[in-house]
Amino acid sequence: MATTVQNSKLDFDNIKNSLKAYLAKQDEFADYNFEASGLSNILDVLAYNTHYNALTANFALNESFLTTAQLRSSVVSHAATLGYVPRSRSASRAEVQLSLNLAGVAGRPGSVIIAAGTTFTADAGETTYVFQTLEDYTATDNGEGFYQFLNGFGGSTISLFEGAQKTKTFYVGDVGERQLYVIQDETIDTTTAAVYVYETPSSSAFVSYTPITTATTVDSTSRYYQISEAPNGYYELNFGDGISFGTSPTAGNKIVVTYLSCAGAEANNASKFAPTAQITLPIVGSYNLDVTTVAASGVGGAKQSIESIRQNAPISFAAQQRLVTADDYRGVIQRNYPTVTDAIAWGGEDNVPADYGKVYVSLVFEDGSTEAQKTAVKNSIVQDVSTNLSIISIDTVFEDPETTYLEVILTFNFDPNLTGQTIKSTETAVFGELQSYVNQNLKQFGGTFRRSELLGKIDDLSEAILNSRASVKLQQRFVPNLLQSTSYKLYLPVELSSPSATDFIISSSTFIFNNKVCSIKNALSLTKLQIVNSVGDVEIDNIGSYDALTGTINLTGFAPTGITAGVNYIKISATPANQSTIRPLRSYILDLDEGPSFATSSTDRQQTDITIGAGTGVTSSATGAANTYVRAPSIPSSGY
């Protein structure tokens, strides 16, 4: 006799059925009809209560760990225990040149200053946004009345930031009280915050505090602050205790925080900026400020995503504000530079070719980042991070991310009798699953393609998909020189297949050579590469070779005169040695080329009915692949 309730499945119906099965085996309820009794309602209540408590316990347990938590407040809290501060919303910013023309104006000044907070308007889409300067800029008369405003490095490029300048004031309470300073604004860009501490509420003199993320050394007199996200989505301002962050404001002090409240990504792509007011100069009057756009607004974004926090918090914790391992570089860079969405680092000994005594870093920036902004971040990493935090003298070398494309051909068997969907709609759904898999698992450093994982997701799409398979190739692109013969070396991040007697391992997109449409293919059974025209004739017998072990493709003396695909690059496709798992190394990122990728199906009817005779009532059914429903012709009764 059963003495326990089976509890391996905790959905409502299973719980109720388990309770009924348990009670039915008791002597008191032998031959009892549970469904026709009031006891069924009691079982409903018990099952519902058990189901509800099980869900609550499951949710609570999941929220207790960083890897399984789903609520942002839980993820942020777990990250805080690791000392990780998630990024806030980031303001969109643009690069412009500002100038003033006072030629012929009598009494013009020798120099002109535009103050921080000078505002400009610009349209992004159908909405107008306000941009502003965050510091003072000075221009000097060139002798002819032309004033070019310069940045702190002497360059003419000036940054404008979208957002409204806001100020929050706090008063420090008595010693012993828990000092809690909450900035009730979810739209703050914490990187634009400035913190000033005044001796008394009426004082005009102040001292500035700096973000703890910029610290390289901390002592009892250091003045650092931290702005971190609170569980309710607002932001808390914290100071040191004399040890952790250095000194903190004392009782009676006034704290003033200024920051930008921004719209984030919505203000990206604004390109035409107009000052909201003229520049007013003593004696000579007011004049228009000339604005020349260098780069449209970009890098505005939302708060750091839950998945990004989940991934980066442990890495940042492991780094412990020092640079020893490759992951340390990744953690420190992504914590301190909000415009860097992904980063990877590797030692020079792991580079190809090996380059000892250096660390290689590759960065992915937010969409809209200008070359000037990228260069500024790289310079800051070298000057402020590598120099101060690395334990020995190691040079930092930057490598641009290299995208390697996948060409995936999906084939599946489809039984239309098992679904109401058409073959075409199912093919579309299968290809959509491929796109979703790539977006969720690839397009980032370390993203690994696993064919079995993809096929498992495809098989689960519909019971009408009986089985599936995938053919996978890798693709690298390069821009050829169309004016002279040039040699090229392409790297693919995996080992390639050895030559085959029946299939081409290497192939390319088409180009013009000798006034013919041609492509590159390897000679069958050889690693030698040839230029072959559209009818299969060899134009050049040896244009290079490929090394299967290192994934290297060498082209020597390659001289096409045009490209046929309407682009400026040629695609080189290769079959990897292992199509099941493709794990790129170093700065390579996998993406999908949707052009040569597609999903196709073949009909596979598992149930076929065949009628043997009319009116006999005799039919047979067989299981197997078939494409048509077959019925035998009627047999006349006369003559038999």
Side-chain angles (χ1 to χ4, degrees):
M1 179 181 295
T3 58
T4 60
V5 175
Q6 298 297 316
N7 59 1
S8 59
K9 295 182 179 180
L10 293 177
D11 64 276
F12 178 84
D13 290 332
N14 283 331
I15 294 171
K16 184 176 179 180
N17 290 335
S18 180
L19 289 171
K20 288 194 296 184
Y22 169 74
L23 292 176
K25 293 181 180 181
Q26 310 300 313
D27 293 338
E28 298 88 336
F29 293 97
D31 300 325
Y32 190 85
N33 187 348
F34 289 94
E35 295 303 324
S37 69
L39 188 57
S40 178
N41 293 329
I42 297 177
L43 292 180
D44 283 340
V45 174
L46 291 174
Y48 175 79
N49 185 66
T50 304
H51 175 67
Y52 188 86
N53 287 334
L55 287 178
T56 302
N58 181 64
F59 292 154
L61 189 62
N62 284 340
E63 295 303 313
S64 299
F65 300 94
L66 177 63
T67 54
T68 56
Q70 299 299 311
L71 297 177
R72 182 177 182 86
S73 58
S74 300
V75 175
V76 169
S77 177
H78 292 310
T81 63
L82 298 178
Y84 184 79
V85 180
R87 294 192 302 271
S88 68
R89 184 180 294 195
S90 55
S92 182
R93 61 202 67 179
E95 306 291 341
V96 300
Q97 291 179 340
L98 303 178
S99 60
L100 190 63
N101 193 344
L102 299 181
V105 176
R108 62 177 182 259
S111 62
V112 177
I113 298 176
I114 56 173
T118 300
T119 57
F120 303 78
T121 58
D123 293 336
E126 298 180 355
T127 306
T128 300
Y129 295 92
V130 175
F131 290 74
Q132 60 183 281
T133 58
L134 294 186
E135 56 184 286
D136 296 345
Y137 294 101
T138 302
T140 304
D141 188 351
N142 70 345
E144 297 179 356
F146 182 78
Y147 299 78
Q148 181 72 59
F149 292 90
L150 304 178
N151 58 37
F153 299 99
S156 60
T157 301
I158 291 174
S159 296
L160 301 182
F161 295 78
E162 182 275 326
Q165 189 80 30
K166 292 189 176 182
T167 301
K168 185 72 173 178
T169 303
F170 304 96
Y171 297 96
V172 182
D174 293 334
V175 177
E177 293 182 1
R178 181 173 183 271
Q179 305 299 312
L180 186 64
Y181 311 109
V182 179
I183 302 173
Q184 296 178 337
D185 191 343
E186 296 187 27
T187 64
I188 180 177
D189 180 350
T190 57
T191 63
T192 65
V195 177
Y196 310 101
V197 177
Y198 296 80
E199 186 69 25
T200 65
S202 59
S203 298
S204 59
F206 61 85
V207 292
S208 297
Y209 280 62
T210 54
I212 187 61
T213 54
T214 64
T216 55
T217 59
V218 178
D219 57 33
S220 60
T221 62
S222 300
R223 294 189 177 95
Y224 293 111
Y225 71 87
Q226 181 183 68
I227 298 179
S228 55
E229 186 177 345
N232 60 3
Y234 293 146
Y235 286 83
E236 294 182 356
L237 173 65
N238 295 294
F239 297 93
D241 54 6
I243 301 174
S244 57
F245 293 2
T247 188
S248 62
T250 58
N253 288 171
K254 180 178 72 172
I255 303 170
V256 176
V257 183
T258 63
Y259 63 89
L260 283 183
S261 175
C262 62
E266 296 176 4
N268 289 341
N269 301 315
S271 58
K272 296 182 179 180
F273 299 88
T276 58
Q278 292 182 314
I279 299 297
T280 301
L281 303 174
I283 302 174
V284 298
S286 299
Y287 294 87
N288 291 324
L289 190 64
D290 296 323
V291 183
T292 302
T293 301
V294 177
S297 62
V299 308
K303 291 181 180 180
Q304 186 175 4
S305 68
I306 291 176
E307 289 305 317
S308 178
I309 298 171
R310 199 193 314 275
Q311 178 184 18
N312 289 293
I315 298 174
S316 179
F317 175 73
Q320 294 292 306
Q321 196 67 0
R322 83 295 188 247
L323 302 178
V324 179
T325 68
D327 271 348
D328 293 343
Y329 280 84
R330 178 183 177 186
V332 171
I333 288 171
Q334 288 196 265
R335 182 182 63 192
N336 292 337
Y337 299 94
T339 58
V340 177
T341 59
D342 198 5
I344 195 170
W346 64 96
E349 69 279 5
D350 296 324
N351 193 59
V352 178
D355 192 6
Y356 297 97
K358 296 180 181 178
V359 59
Y360 282 77
V361 177
S362 188
L363 308 175
V364 176
F365 290 86
E366 289 184 344
D367 293 340
S369 298
T370 65
E371 290 302 319
Q373 292 167 340
K374 294 177 182 178
T375 300
V377 169
K378 293 176 181 179
N379 291 339
S380 177
I381 290 173
V382 173
Q383 298 167 7
D384 303 330
V385 176
S386 298
T387 302
N388 293 321
L389 301 181
S390 60
I391 59 175
I392 56 178
S393 178
I394 295 180
D395 294 331
T396 302
V397 180
F398 292 97
E399 288 277 354
D400 291 332
E402 185 77 26
T403 299
T404 298
Y405 294 89
L406 296 175
E407 299 176 1
V408 182
I409 299 176
L410 296 169
T411 307
F412 61 94
N413 284 23
F414 178 78
D415 187 347
N417 295 329
L418 301 179
T419 181
Q421 300 296 320
T422 65
I423 292 179
K424 206 65 179 176
S425 64
T426 306
E427 289 177 348
T428 301
V430 168
F431 191 74
E433 186 63 36
L434 169 62
Q435 294 172 311
S436 176
Y437 176 84
V438 171
N439 291 332
Q440 293 176 9
N441 298 279
L442 308 180
K443 294 188 176 182
Q444 59 186 345
F445 292 125
T448 302
F449 173 83
R450 301 186 187 278
R451 183 166 61 178
S452 61
E453 185 178 19
L454 170 63
L455 294 180
K457 293 179 179 294
I458 290 172
D459 291 343
D460 291 340
L461 281 177
S462 170
E463 62 178 6
I465 298 176
L466 305 179
N467 60 277
S468 58
R469 53 198 178 276
S471 171
V472 183
K473 287 189 175 184
L474 292 180
Q475 176 202 117
Q476 205 66 276
R477 301 174 179 180
F478 72 100
V479 178
N481 189 332
L482 302 179
L483 301 177
Q484 64 181 21
S485 175
T486 309
S487 296
Y488 303 89
K489 178 175 286 188
L490 306 178
Y491 294 98
L492 289 160
V494 298
E495 182 179 344
L496 304 181
S497 291
S498 299
S500 167
T502 57
D503 299 317
F504 295 109
I505 305 302
I506 305 295
S507 60
S508 78
S509 57
T510 56
F511 52 86
I512 303 299
F513 181 79
N514 287 345
N515 294 321
K516 300 176 183 177
V517 176
C518 300
S519 62
I520 296 173
K521 289 182 172 64
N522 69 292
L524 294 177
S525 302
L526 298 174
T527 61
K528 178 177 66 174
L529 301 179
Q530 301 173 322
I531 295 182
V532 182
N533 62 31
S534 57
V535 297
D537 297 332
V538 176
E539 295 288 331
I540 297 291
D541 181 61
N542 190 345
I543 195 66
S545 63
Y546 81 93
D547 187 327
L549 186 61
T550 62
T552 305
I553 298 173
N554 293 289
L555 298 178
T556 304
F558 184 49
T561 56
I563 300 175
T564 61
V567 293
N568 66 338
Y569 55 81
I570 293 176
K571 302 177 182 180
I572 297 288
S573 302
T575 303
N578 180 7
Q579 296 185 38
S580 299
T581 303
I582 299 176
R583 181 186 292 108
L585 301 175
R586 300 182 295 278
S587 60
Y588 288 90
I589 296 175
L590 294 180
D591 200 350
L592 178 69
D593 186 349
E594 297 186 3
S597 301
F598 59 90
T600 184
S601 64
S602 59
T603 303
D604 185 357
R605 299 179 187 270
Q606 296 299 290
Q607 189 70 31
T608 302
D609 293 339
I610 301 177
T611 301
I612 294 179
T616 63
V618 179
T619 60
S620 66
S621 62
T623 300
N627 292 318
T628 57
Y629 179 93
V630 180
R631 180 182 295 273
S634 299
I635 301 175
S637 58
S638 60
Y640 291 88

